[in-house]
Structure formats: structure tokens, C-alpha cells
Amino acid sequence: DVKVTQSSRYLVKRTGEKVFLECVQDMDHENMFWYRQDPGLGLRLIYFSYDVKMKEKGDIPEGYSVSREKKERFSLILESASTNQTSMYLCASSLFRDSKNIQYFGAGTRLSVL
Amino acid sequence: GNSVTQMEGPVTLSEEAFLTINCTYTATGYPSLFWYVQYPGEGLQLLLKATKADDKGSNKGFEATYRKETTSFHLEKGSVQVSDSAVYFCALTLQGGSEKLVFGKGTKLTVNP
């Protein structure tokens, strides 16, 4: 069965901390995505990656960076967390050039920045 | 650009009521259309999809038909259950283009017994 695992369900961090959100998929997918989900705004794409060491900015990359050193792992980094980064973060993966183009999601990490 | 507009929620229904959640889109190319569902405390999962005009996607009693003439992909279910309470997202991706999905803002459905 398809599985996308996010390392934490809940995180509480302080303003200015460096925060790492980890995502691992076991489906050998090339594409991986990071979204944030906020009430009334839906899902917004932060970054995505279509191969190891490759990344592209999404719609709201400011304040975030990513790392993809291995195919199965995609990390989202908040260099200096701020309160406006309090949100639900969702990771997803998909097959490259798949005609179905289905994305598979993790359960999410709810981050609170105090 | 590419965008998805879905009806504002929240939607509250009684069990066995008929459900419609409206979704319209604008796309610069030929889109594939999706409905994703997010149950409480979980990530999103694919509910159904359609890849060409007049295709009907269906799953778990839900249906949606790809209407190119009205650029719509409305979600329907004839008789909802309490277990259908969730947030529903309409989304599109361009065929042959970027791998990215464009999501609507989501519609929260609550079904009361």
C-alpha cells in the first residue's frame, strides 16, 4: 500500500528556531511536494521536487527552503521560524509523468510557532 | 492562469440528504480534474478523477462529470452518511504540463444523524 510518512503530527517551536519537517515515501516516486493548509485559503504549494537534488519554488516559498538528498526523503526547513508560519503542513508524492497524476498525501504536521 | 473555484462552506446536511458541491475551473490548457477528501485528523486522499470531457468519475457513491462547456466538475452524492463528514477539495492539473495540482479552497461538509 502507498505510504507517505511525516515524522511529526504536532510540533511546537519558538520564534527564531530552525525547524525541520521530514517526509518519507516508500513508493519510489520521483515527485514530492510540500503544502501548507490554512483555514479559508486551502492548500498552497511551498516547494516541489521532481528528482534528487532538484527543487522548484511553489506559490509561497518565502521563509522556507527544502532538501532532497535521497529519492524517498523530502525535508522542509524553516530557517528562522515566525508566528505567521503556524500552520498545517502536508507532504505529498507522485510518479513523474504519470498519466493519472495522482498525488498521495501524508497525515500532516501541525506546527505552532510561539 | 489556472484556478479552481468551489462553493464556500461549511455545508451541513442531515443523513440521507442529497449533496452537491460546485466546482468550476479556468485552465490555460487541457486539464485533468480531481476531487480529494480530507477526513478529520488525516491527510488528503483521492476520491475520484476524470481526464477528458464528459468522463464521469465515481467512488464510494460520489460522482462528478467533467463538463467542458461549463468548465465544471460538480461533486454529487445521492444519500450522504455521517461518515462522509470531511473537507472536500476540487483540483486540476494540466495534461502534458507541470506535475503540480491547483486546488480549490475546500468545502467542509458536516452530516448530522
Side-chain angles (χ1 to χ4, degrees):
Chain A
D1 202 12
V2 164
K3 196 154 188 184
V4 178
T5 303
Q6 295 183 230
S7 54
S8 305
R9 291 300 301 271
Y10 301 95
L11 272 181
V12 180
K13 297 292 181 181
R14 297 255 177 230
T15 302
E17 278 192 76
K18 189 169 186 175
V19 181
F20 292 86
L21 303 183
E22 306 286 347
C23 176
V24 176
Q25 50 94 4
D26 65 358
M27 297 161 285
D28 203 35
H29 284 171
E30 293 84 3
N31 300 328
M32 295 189 75
F33 306 83
W34 275 107
Y35 297 90
R36 64 177 281 177
Q37 181 179 12
D38 300 288
L41 297 177
L43 272 73
R44 294 179 291 168
L45 181 65
I46 305 171
Y47 267 97
F48 75 102
S49 167
Y50 50 89
D51 201 353
V52 174
K53 298 191 186 296
M54 305 299 287
K55 62 184 179 184
E56 280 196 28
K57 292 180 180 179
D59 301 317
I60 51 164
E62 296 79 18
Y64 303 94
S65 62
V66 289
S67 173
R68 186 131 181 238
E69 297 295 320
K70 294 185 177 181
K71 190 176 185 181
E72 68 270 18
R73 186 180 297 270
F74 192 35
S75 303
L76 180 69
I77 303 158
L78 287 65
E79 294 289 343
S80 178
S82 63
T83 54
N84 63 12
Q85 293 178 310
T86 292
S87 186
M88 170 71 89
Y89 290 87
L90 292 168
C91 175
S93 72
S94 68
L95 271 174
F96 184 69
R97 291 286 182 250
D98 176 27
S99 60
K100 300 185 186 69
N101 201 6
I102 298 170
Q103 289 190 16
Y104 297 88
F105 284 80
T109 297
R110 188 167 292 282
L111 173 67
S112 296
V113 182
L114 306 178
Chain B
N2 304 308
S3 66
V4 174
T5 302
Q6 59 182 105
M7 66 186 281
E8 301 259 341
V11 175
T12 303
L13 295 173
S14 297
E15 208 164 19
E16 300 184 2
F18 185 86
L19 168 71
T20 300
I21 300 178
N22 290 336
C23 171
T24 58
Y25 66 89
T26 59
T28 55
Y30 200 105
S32 294
L33 302 172
F34 305 81
W35 278 100
Y36 279 81
V37 59
Q38 184 180 33
Y39 297 105
E42 299 183 13
L44 277 70
Q45 57 185 272
L46 179 68
L47 180 60
L48 53 83
K49 64 186 287 289
T51 58
K52 61 183 189 292
D54 300 324
D55 263 3
K56 179 185 284 188
S58 61
N59 187 24
K60 299 182 180 180
F62 291 88
E63 293 182 338
T65 301
Y66 188 144
R67 301 285 188 203
K68 190 178 180 184
E69 64 275 12
T70 54
T71 62
S72 65
F73 193 54
H74 304 321
L75 182 68
E76 296 182 336
K77 186 173 186 183
S79 176
V80 293
Q81 307 299 312
V82 172
S83 57
D84 294 325
S85 297
V87 182
Y88 293 83
F89 292 91
C90 186
L92 69 80
T93 188
L94 291 183
Q95 297 179 32
S98 165
E99 310 284 305
K100 295 184 286 187
L101 280 170
V102 177
F103 285 92
K105 293 185 177 179
T107 302
K108 184 175 182 179
L109 170 67
T110 301
V111 180
N112 295 319

